[in-house]
Amino acid sequence: MNTIKVTIKDHLSIITLDRGKSNALNREMITELNDILVNISGDPNIAGVIITGKEHFFSAGLDLIELYNYSEQEAESFWHLFLNFTATITSFKKPLVAAVNGHSPAGGCVIALACDYRIMAEGKYIIGLNEVPVGIIVPNSIFNLYSFWIGQANATRSLLEGKLFTPEEALQVGLIDEVVNPASILTAAERKIRKYMAMERNTWEQSKLNIRKDLIAATTADQSEALQVMLKQWWAPTTRSILKTIIDNLQKK
């Protein structure tokens, strides 16, 4: 695998996002993440998963530079891929903890939202769904993930203004569960997931699936219609102009 690293430790799989400086999600990375979760789901030797990033970045979200240059057909297949991955990670039945060790906006936040517990590094980092100011219409399935943790009112307000939270703000609204020193984030994540892994496995997994029943239904539903609306906006001149400005700024850094 080119974009993620996987280590196994006493029935625990640690998936480290490892693509460039900021772990921007592209087609290859999403495919690899989806494949590894499907494999782990069927592996009786692995009882839990931690997903983490690298120093300062969990994931900066979707790789807008790569996406911007896609043809209409490539863009459509990419968004299908991303929504299918969201369904896979949301319905993953084993314990899944996010060790958010840096910035985690947009797509990075989606990965964290699909986990059962989120631990974030303290520091000048941000997390949240900031798609609307970028010109991307957020699908209902992803809004449902957001509101699952922070409630509908908070999710609505935050989504419509594209709010990005500091670790402390995110903790306050329930977007994350703990804020820790960056040096101890994996230790804290492992401590938490081992508690889940110590439970009777089938009881824990079935309880998780029951709790997530509506979420799983939303992420696995046919979203073709919503995707067409989203894609129409993706190609709109206003959105292309916003994206071009963002990309120009990214390429200057």
Side-chain angles (χ1 to χ4, degrees):
M1 286 175 289
N2 298 321
T3 65
I4 59 175
K5 288 177 181 167
V6 182
T7 52
I8 311 291
K9 178 184 175 186
D10 300 330
H11 307 290
L12 170 65
S13 177
I14 300 168
I15 299 172
T16 304
L17 308 178
D18 185 30
R19 178 173 180 260
K21 180 191 166 191
S22 66
N23 285 330
L25 300 160
N26 70 343
R27 186 185 299 275
E28 181 180 31
M29 195 175 195
I30 291 166
T31 302
E32 289 187 355
L33 274 168
N34 195 74
D35 289 351
I36 194 72
L37 288 173
V38 170
N39 289 342
I40 289 171
S41 187
D43 186 340
N45 293 314
I46 297 177
V49 176
I50 291 171
I51 299 183
T52 192
K54 49 176 75 170
E55 195 180 12
H56 304 311
F57 281 96
F58 180 70
S59 169
L62 300 182
D63 185 343
L64 295 177
I65 296 171
E66 185 172 311
L67 264 69
Y68 185 81
N69 292 308
Y70 282 169
S71 66
E72 287 194 30
Q73 193 179 355
E74 286 169 333
E76 184 165 357
S77 81
F78 174 83
W79 286 108
H80 271 295
L81 178 75
F82 183 71
L83 292 177
N84 287 341
F85 164 65
T86 305
T88 297
I89 192 169
T90 302
S91 59
F92 184 78
K93 63 184 180 181
K94 297 179 182 182
L96 188 58
V97 169
V100 183
N101 49 345
H103 297 298
S104 190
C109 183
V110 173
I111 293 174
L113 287 169
C115 295
D116 303 302
Y117 196 83
R118 283 156 296 285
I119 301 172
M120 191 166 183
E122 61 191 6
K124 293 181 178 176
Y125 301 125
I126 43 107
I127 185 168
L129 298 183
N130 61 328
E131 282 84 348
V132 169
V134 175
I136 296 171
I137 298 170
V138 175
N140 187 49
S141 58
I142 290 173
F143 173 75
N144 285 352
L145 260 179
Y146 211 22
S147 58
F148 183 77
W149 295 110
I150 68 173
Q152 284 217 309
N154 259 336
T156 301
R157 281 190 291 264
S158 303
L159 190 77
L160 291 178
E161 68 177 74
K163 182 169 174 59
L164 291 168
F165 299 85
T166 65
E168 291 72 23
E169 289 170 337
L171 182 64
Q172 213 170 3
V173 297
L175 181 52
I176 60 170
D177 303 289
E178 275 183 64
V179 178
V180 301
N181 183 296
S184 59
I185 194 164
L186 278 175
T187 310
E190 188 172 341
R191 190 184 305 127
K192 186 65 189 182
I193 202 160
R194 296 265 177 218
K195 284 184 181 173
Y196 291 149
M197 288 164 64
M199 308 271 186
E200 200 284 318
R201 189 185 285 195
N202 190 56
T203 306
W204 195 95
E205 290 177 356
Q206 290 308 312
S207 298
K208 173 177 173 173
L209 294 178
N210 285 346
I211 291 162
R212 290 180 172 232
K213 191 177 168 189
D214 292 344
L215 266 188
I216 292 166
T219 54
T220 54
D222 181 2
Q223 297 179 75
S224 306
E225 210 174 298
L227 195 58
Q228 289 313 309
V229 175
M230 193 179 164
L231 283 164
K232 190 177 177 187
Q233 186 58 42
W234 175 259
W235 293 108
T238 47
T239 299
R240 301 305 283 174
S241 172
I242 297 166
L243 290 169
K244 183 79 171 66
T245 304
I246 292 167
I247 289 163
D248 287 347
N249 289 333
L250 286 171
Q251 289 174 328
K252 279 176 197 166
K253 289 179 182 177

